């Protein structure tokens, strides 16, 4: 009988279900959560032991019998069961899970997501307690969150470099004119650094260390004063722990092919863009969002290579979730729905 009673209260949350992080926006409250997309599970029972920040702290240190899972890969669900646990955790932590509440969830999904992948995202949210689940394409959400005039006739361009993918889109009149989603993002940056350090110095480092290197001294353009960083890992031959200093010039070289891949994605997007729209970008410029936007000199690198002025969004990591927030606060998700 209780199951037949509709929710007495109605609320909505927006979720940026990212490969690296999950951000949650609650209607009327704003962003209330930003945690890593990590789940620690018991290898035998598959029972979740820790989720989010607690699970990430266990990465690279987890003892036998505990598996650290990242249920999102390239912006889509790679592990349906674990993603459901993760979504349920975030919905409940947001305080929005109750049989008295009718919950609408707006989830940002990558451009080019397949119907099967989108269905998996929706099913996970329904199983986690949502009564109504809607999706919005990440480039549109990111552009809204960055303050671009998505609903107007002027052409806008967003390049959102996330953990698993980079979403590149030209937008106008509330829709996407041309777009590409490429599987290059923060995780790939980290792998490039890990591979470079092993090749150049015979030192095996953790992905967490590579991420620190990327954030501390990573750059896409020569710096006025190059930086250095001491890394610690395991010697690939002796197996003994060892320290090594690496500089920003080396990191830039390690990441060069990643930056070139993003540049190629931008070029291919512009190739399928109407000439008039592409021409407007020379005056209006383009915006960088996502964690990758924080790489030093990336906007300048892309500007030099394309001739289009690139700017970094004010809150690049929050653009997507802020975009979902704009939609649920204004109850106009139908205008921009997938």
């Amino acid at each position: 009988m209780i199951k037949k009673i509709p929710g007495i209260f109605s609320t909505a949350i927006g979720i940026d279900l990212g490969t690296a992080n999950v951000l949650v926006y609650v209607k009327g409250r704003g962003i209330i959560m930003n945690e890593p997309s990590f789940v620690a599970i018991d290898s035998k029972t598959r029972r979740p032991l820790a989720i989010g920040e607690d699970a990430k702290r266990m990465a690279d240190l987890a003892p036998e019998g505990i598996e650290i899972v990242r249920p999102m890969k390239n912006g889509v669900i790679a592990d349906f069961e674990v993603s459901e646990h993760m979504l349920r955790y975030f919905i409940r932590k947001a305080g929005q899970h109750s049989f008295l509440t009718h919950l609408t969830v707006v989830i940002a999904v990558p451009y080019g997501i397949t119907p099967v992948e989108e269905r998996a995202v929706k099913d996970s949210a329904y199983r986690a307690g949502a009564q109504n689940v809607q999706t919005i394409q990440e480039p549109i959400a990111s552009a809204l969150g960055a303050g671009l005039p998505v609903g107007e006739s002027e052409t806008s361009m967003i390049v959102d470099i996330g953990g698993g993918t980079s979403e590149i889109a030209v937008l106008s009149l509330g829709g996407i004119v041309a777009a590409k989603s490429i599987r290059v993002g923060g995780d790939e940056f980290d792998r490039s650094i890990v591979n470079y350090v092993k090749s150049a110095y015979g030192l095996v480092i953790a992905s967490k260390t590579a991420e620190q290197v990327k954030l501390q001294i990573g750059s896409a353009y020569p710096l006025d004063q190059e930086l250095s960083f001491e890394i610690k890992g395991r010697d690939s031959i002796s197996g003994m722990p060892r320290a090594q200093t690496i500089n920003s010039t080396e990191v830039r070289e390690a990441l060069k092919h990643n930056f070139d891949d993003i540049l190629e994605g931008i070029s291919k997007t512009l190739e399928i863009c109407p000439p008039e729209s592409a021409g407007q970008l020379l005056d209006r410029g383009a915006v960088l969002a996502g964690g990758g936007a924080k790489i030093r000199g990336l906007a300048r690198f892309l500007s030099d290579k394309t001739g289009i002025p690139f700017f970094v969004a004010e809150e690049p990591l929050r653009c997507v979730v802020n975009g979902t927030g704009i939609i649920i606060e204004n109850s106009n998700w139908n205008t921009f729905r997938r």
Side-chain angles (χ1 to χ4, degrees):
M1 183 176 177
I2 291 177
K3 291 182 180 178
K4 294 181 180 179
I5 300 175
I8 297 174
F9 305 104
S10 179
T11 190
I13 66 174
I15 299 178
D16 175 8
L17 195 61
T19 303
N21 290 82
V22 176
L23 288 85
V24 179
Y25 185 109
V26 177
K27 185 174 183 178
R29 295 171 58 191
I31 300 172
I32 56 102
M33 210 177 305
N34 179 1
E35 292 197 38
S37 306
F38 282 72
V39 181
I41 61 173
D42 186 298
S43 301
K44 293 182 179 179
T45 66
R46 306 301 293 175
R47 183 173 61 89
L49 303 174
I51 297 174
E53 196 66 56
D54 291 339
K56 185 176 182 180
R57 279 195 288 266
M58 299 169 67
D60 300 319
L61 299 173
E64 186 177 352
I66 297 179
E67 183 181 351
I68 306 299
V69 178
R70 300 181 67 182
M72 305 300 297
K73 184 176 181 180
N74 299 319
V76 297
I77 291 177
D79 190 314
F80 188 89
E81 182 181 2
V82 176
S83 69
E84 185 181 323
H85 287 306
M86 187 172 72
L87 269 173
R88 183 178 291 111
Y89 165 82
F90 285 115
I91 288 174
R92 287 180 173 174
K93 192 171 181 180
Q96 306 301 312
H97 189 272
S98 168
F99 75 93
L100 294 176
T101 301
H102 184 278
L103 176 62
T104 293
V105 178
V106 177
I107 303 178
V109 297
Y111 176 81
I113 188 175
T114 68
V116 173
E117 291 169 335
E118 183 177 11
R119 185 72 255 168
V121 171
K122 286 187 172 182
D123 285 347
S124 285
Y126 280 124
R127 290 174 180 269
Q131 284 75 46
N132 180 28
V133 182
Q134 305 297 339
T135 59
I136 178 175
Q137 292 174 321
E138 282 181 10
I140 294 178
S142 185
L144 284 170
L148 294 176
V150 177
E152 299 178 11
S153 59
E154 290 88 349
T155 300
S156 300
M157 185 176 196
I158 189 82
V159 178
D160 191 307
I161 306 170
T165 61
S166 290
E167 305 282 307
I168 305 159
V170 176
L171 310 106
S172 181
L173 295 173
I176 293 176
V177 177
K180 290 283 184 182
S181 180
I182 60 174
R183 295 189 172 184
V184 177
D187 289 347
E188 190 63 31
F189 293 170
D190 296 343
R191 282 190 287 270
S192 294
I193 293 172
V194 168
N195 293 337
Y196 177 87
V197 170
K198 184 176 181 180
S199 175
Y201 296 107
L203 188 66
V204 180
I205 61 172
S207 58
K208 186 187 300 185
T209 302
E211 183 181 21
Q212 291 176 334
V213 171
K214 175 185 66 181
L215 295 175
Q216 294 293 326
I217 65 172
S219 69
Y221 205 88
L223 303 176
D224 293 336
Q225 184 175 354
E226 298 294 348
L227 306 171
S228 61
F229 188 85
E230 185 182 66
I231 52 178
K232 297 175 182 178
R234 186 184 71 246
D235 189 283
S236 61
I237 297 177
S238 69
M240 300 299 289
R242 178 162 63 85
Q244 175 68 49
T245 298
I246 188 171
N247 62 53
S248 51
T249 302
E250 295 176 283
V251 177
R252 192 162 54 247
E253 180 62 29
L255 298 176
K256 183 179 184 303
H257 68 285
N258 299 135
F259 301 144
D260 288 342
D261 287 343
I262 293 171
L263 179 62
E264 183 180 1
I266 293 172
S267 298
K268 288 184 176 180
T269 304
L270 292 172
E271 285 176 6
I272 59 176
C273 183
E276 183 177 352
S277 296
Q280 289 183 18
L281 295 175
L282 291 173
D283 297 322
R284 296 184 59 81
V287 172
L288 284 179
K294 301 178 75 174
I295 296 287
R296 294 175 179 83
L298 183 55
R300 184 176 178 182
F301 169 81
L302 295 174
S303 297
D304 284 357
K305 296 294 183 179
T306 64
I308 297 171
F310 273 82
F311 308 95
V312 178
E314 186 174 344
E315 293 184 299
L317 289 167
R318 297 185 169 193
C319 286
V320 172
V321 75
N322 277 335
T324 67
I326 289 171
I327 289 174
I328 62 178
E329 293 289 0
N330 294 282
S331 301
N332 65 346
W333 67 268
N334 277 302
T335 307
F336 302 104
R337 66 180 298 184
R338 174 176 164 77

